[in-house]
Amino acid sequence: MFVINCPYCGERDQSEFSCGGEAHIVRPKQPTELSDDEWAEYLFMRKNIKGVQFERWNHAHGCRKWFNMVRDTSNDKIHAVYKMGEKPPVI
Amino acid sequence: MTKYRINKTRFVDQTKTVSFTFDGKKYHGFEGDTLASALLSNGIHLIGRSFKYHRPRGIMSCGSEEPNAICQINDNTDLTEPNVRATEIELYEGLKASSQNCWPSLNFDIGGINNLISPFIPAGFYYKTFMWPKSFWKKIYEPLIRLSAGLGKSPTQPDPDIYDHKHEHCDVLVIGGGISGIISAKIAAKNNLKTILIEDKNILGGSTIYQNNKNFIIDNQKSNEWLMNEISELEKLDNLIIKTRTSLAAFHSYNYLLAKENISDHLPIDKKNGSIRQRLWKIRADKVIVAAGAIERPLIFNNNDRPGIILANSVKKYLDFYGVSTGLNNIIFTNNDSAYETAVSLFEKGISVKIVDIRKKSSSNIVKNAEDQGIKIYWNSTVVNTFGYKKIKSIEIMNLSEDGSNVTGNKHKIQCDCLSISGGWTPMVHMHTQSGGKLDFREIDQVFVPTEKSENHINVGSCNGDFELEEIVKNTNNKVKKFLNINEGGFDKISVLCSKESEKKNIWLLPNTISESKTKSFIDFQNDSTAKDIKLALREGFKSIEHVKRYTTTGMATDQGKLSNMHALGIIADTAGVKMGTLGTTTFRPPFTPLTFGAIVGRSVGKFFDIVRKTSIHEWHVQNNAKFENVGQWKRPWYYPINNENLHEAVQRESKAARDSAGILDASTLGKIDIQGSDASEFLNRVYTNAWSKLGIGKCRYGLMLNEDGMVYDDGVTTRLGENHYLMTTTTGGAANVLSKLEDYLQTEWPELDVYLTSVTDHYSTASICGPNSKKILKKLFPNKDFSDEAFPHMSYQDAMIDKIECRIMRISFTGELSYEINVESKYGKSLWENCIVAGEEYKITPYGTETMHLLRAEKGFIIVGQDTDGTMTPIDLQMDWIVSKKKYDFIGKRSLYRSDTMREDRKQLVGLLTDDPNEILEEGAQIVSELDKKPVEMIGHVTSSYFSPNLNKSIALAVVKGGKKMNGQKLIVPMENKNINVTVSDFIFLDKENKRINA
């Protein structure tokens, strides 16, 4: 149970948040132009890193804002949180 | 005083007698006793039978590591509790305890025969034996194994006790109230840090509090007296919370910890009433100091499990803390100095004691002390056997060979009534590893100690591998000061004198003259696994400690291997010829000691288990005899039985009324999302499969929402209230998920869109009136309104008033009937509903529930997302191609509709099913096949909705069938347990395909 520093609300208990999986996967602008394989790559393929991972999180039971978070999945250390649209930090 | 209560101590009040029963017989103990100390004071050692061999077992320890003395507490059907450790339960007036795992009685146990046939039931016996014949498993083996499995009896009635949860924050949490915990807590609290100290026993002080020995001196006082003063000073500090009877259950990441406080378990039965039984503390601590202590190890030798064989330090605690002698003719068997403290303590009270030590000598103060007093010590010796069935009577010892790998010389028999054993100490590293910490193996005394890396927690005292009083006090002071960034600890100039151990020797499995296969050297006492079992597992090819553990069940009992894990590791390492440090340990998982389910769920029981949502009309439904069903958290009227109608009868009546005259449904639970913003139309275009740009103001449209994978996610009618203003409805169960999905796209994919979403589900109540007479009822409710088809056509919306109450009326239909939905602010919901009932009286308006709603929509072939779909259905599968826009460039899920898999023609597709016998109603979920002769019979689909339609006077069903689109008219079979039902594939719109009723 970690403590997450919501970029809008500040530090809150993990139970207020939900994880939305890997971050920085952009929805293709022209899906119809893509082959089945390319579309499947966007739709299904996710990394599951042991180590530093960029993730989407939602302050579901708080401000309901989505934001990004850099977390080490091997020890749950949170390296950074940043708003949607902001440039990912270099870790 | 009983024969074994030989000492008066300050911890047990011998003026206050407490009576209790064990196996139905009445005994007495004193206030301050545990069940174990009270039984021992009555000379009772035999407490239970072992799990596998049913060997007699007695009390072995004085704490949570106890493997043998587990009892059933209470005998009533609701409060009885199995597997309670006698060493942990505080004695109270009226306590009823009984032994477990024996039949017909503890003293004569039929299961004891397992002990005689034990050569035939080695490790893995079950896996090897019950493999064949295969047909025996279900009828013979499994019932038999289930009969003998499990310890104790579960309560058969709901738990009447109250449990509680509490959240707490602090600067410093100290786990353990022994000497190192007390020093830590005092340093923290004196430096203005909000500190919590938790201790699982009823008083602070650990083992030092009864260490009344001149070899252990702090600041010129005996260590117990020094500590007593420290505790009384500690209790005066006001930023320190001391929680006794509170044990740590789990240490999670980010210093989030769970601790269980026993509040009324120790109270006499008449004082427990109404009080909270246990409280689970959820603590978020800035810093955590673990001072969890260490557990004494047993020694592993032949027949080391008899009642009367007790850990040496526990013998000392029973003597010096409870005033109870565990025997009058003691032998101590040890590999280290700490057991000599027990010997000296026994000797000083005039109790006979001899020592068997596997070492060749020891030159420490405490050993010298014992020798000076004339205690007989057998050096370089080991116990090779013990005797006495229900209580130890004697032991046989032999000399060890030079390297300790064998025994030499003659056997020497010694009489005794108690054998104290000590194999050294194991630091309690559970908390450290639970929090993610790693361990190092320390060769010199063969212990795993914490690797200190975390900035947020440290380990102090014996759980950190500091066993001698001087290093405990000094290291704790220094570490805590550094950890908390404090200059003056208050213990900097302290002087500590103690006995120091110089000779160390450890043999994991002590040698014997007879072959290993004929010995019973128990490692895990509770699960009856022996050294022989571990070696067998290794011979059979198990290498990983995790595999050996599961194969032999070592460490898998309710004590979670607190006494057994180290020996199992040691024997594996010795046998396999590897170093223990490289072998690693098994995983230490929470909880540290068993937690009650009550403590875990706290107050979330009964009506507090989940939130219950009720519409503003709920009260009317209750008064009108509605039966309710749960839809998500909502209570929705299911049907309204009249007189003694059952579900079927009520639904037939309600459905008929809705089609013949008028019906009314509480539709308030449908999810409602208010959508505003200049890009609202564009947004809807992107989230629904159909086009929205051209929807006029005041018009309604049905929409289907997909996931990005092309599967149907939700559906509902959305109304355009204004130029930039829509009201979306969702399914009742899907409302929250739809909102969060839409928010996700808005915030992350399309932040450029000017759209605002607000959940308004609770803001409005909805009465849905349907049936041929609905228009007449609406006219009565809104006399000034023009309800002609021209003025108010199907799929449109208008504002109206009842008195001064604003209403939104949508002419939309989920039943296939002419239908109106009237929305008002929630607070007027009930009044609106009652108005509708009054207005509809002359048309016999009939309230109907969800079951009738489902039937009516099925007649019309409308799907229910989640019933007729399951996350694998595309709109094309549902034969809803008409709602998928070909013109729109993109919408959520569009691309996936053209994947090779979603375009397959043999996907399961929605069809109607008619039974050949029109009175036969299919079961929802039933499987559908096309032929029975070809084995294996292929399942080609399943029934999703099924009803008897009173309006069509026949059974109808919706189903999904592979390639169903092209199967109209084809005969299929629904095989049931007792018969096969013949069905014919049909159109899934059973009634009024021409929409005459809706447009009536």
Side-chain angles (χ1 to χ4, degrees), chain B residues 321-339:
Chain B
F321 190 94
Y322 300 106
V324 175
S325 175
T326 49
L328 302 176
N329 186 15
N330 290 272
I331 298 171
I332 289 169
F333 181 29
T334 183
N335 70 358
N336 68 87
D337 278 359
S338 71

Side-chain angles (χ1 to χ4, degrees), chain B residues 57 83 90 231 240 441 552 714 933:
Chain B
R57 290 284 167 79
N83 301 331
E90 291 177 49
I231 292 171
L240 173 68
F441 188 68
T552 62
D714 203 81
D933 298 333

Side-chain angles (χ1 to χ4, degrees), chain B residues 347-462:
Chain B
F347 184 87
E348 282 173 351
K349 286 162 194 81
I351 300 168
S352 157
V353 58
K354 299 183 183 77
I355 299 173
V356 179
D357 196 325
I358 70 167
R359 298 174 298 177
K360 286 175 181 159
K361 64 175 177 58
S362 175
S363 51
S364 64
N365 290 349
I366 186 88
V367 174
K368 206 162 162 292
N369 195 195
E371 279 176 324
D372 289 349
Q373 283 171 326
I375 298 173
K376 170 73 182 162
I377 305 170
Y378 299 89
W379 293 107
N380 194 33
S381 299
T382 181
V383 177
V384 292
N385 206 354
T386 66
F387 304 91
Y389 187 54
K390 288 172 191 164
K391 173 89 183 284
I392 192 163
K393 282 180 184 150
S394 61
I395 62 169
E396 272 179 352
I397 66 168
M398 286 180 82
N399 280 329
L400 283 163
S401 64
E402 188 59 29
D403 63 354
S405 68
N406 222 324
V407 281
T408 61
N410 295 327
K411 280 181 189 159
H412 178 58
K413 197 161 190 168
I414 317 173
Q415 306 296 317
C416 66
D417 64 354
C418 178
L419 177 67
S420 308
I421 54 175
S422 177
W425 293 83
T426 299
M428 285 292 93
V429 294
H430 298 62
M431 314 306 167
H432 175 75
T433 54
Q434 275 183 24
S435 77
K438 301 275 178 270
L439 301 174
D440 291 323
F441 188 68
R442 194 165 75 192
E443 282 291 340
I444 180 148
D445 52 357
Q446 307 269 296
V447 293
F448 283 100
V449 291
T451 314
E452 295 284 10
K453 272 199 182 137
S454 167
E455 296 157 16
N456 303 316
H457 88 264
I458 52 166
N459 300 273
V460 296
S462 57

Side-chain angles (χ1 to χ4, degrees), chain B residues 97-110:
Chain B
S98 54
S99 49
Q100 296 184 167
N101 208 35
C102 51
W103 185 85
S105 77
L106 178 58
N107 276 302
F108 177 73
D109 176 19
I110 295 274

Side-chain angles (χ1 to χ4, degrees), chain B residues 752-821:
Chain B
E752 72 281 4
L753 293 186
D754 174 41
V755 175
Y756 300 90
L757 306 175
T758 312
S759 168
V760 292
T761 302
D762 294 309
H763 300 38
Y764 299 101
S765 285
T766 309
S768 173
I769 300 177
C770 80
N773 287 320
S774 57
K775 195 178 278 184
K776 292 173 197 154
I777 296 168
L778 268 282
K779 271 182 190 157
K780 282 177 76 180
L781 286 164
F782 305 95
N784 302 326
K785 199 89 203 160
D786 181 358
F787 283 99
S788 68
D789 288 341
E790 297 72 37
F792 203 157
H794 182 53
M795 296 308 271
S796 66
Y797 129 85
Q798 294 193 16
D799 286 323
M801 306 281 278
I802 294 180
D803 295 333
K804 288 177 183 172
I805 302 169
E806 291 175 13
C807 306
R808 281 177 183 157
I809 308 170
M810 279 88 170
R811 183 173 165 187
I812 51 178
S813 174
F814 187 45
T815 58
E817 285 303 314
L818 173 65
S819 173
Y820 298 88
E821 291 191 358

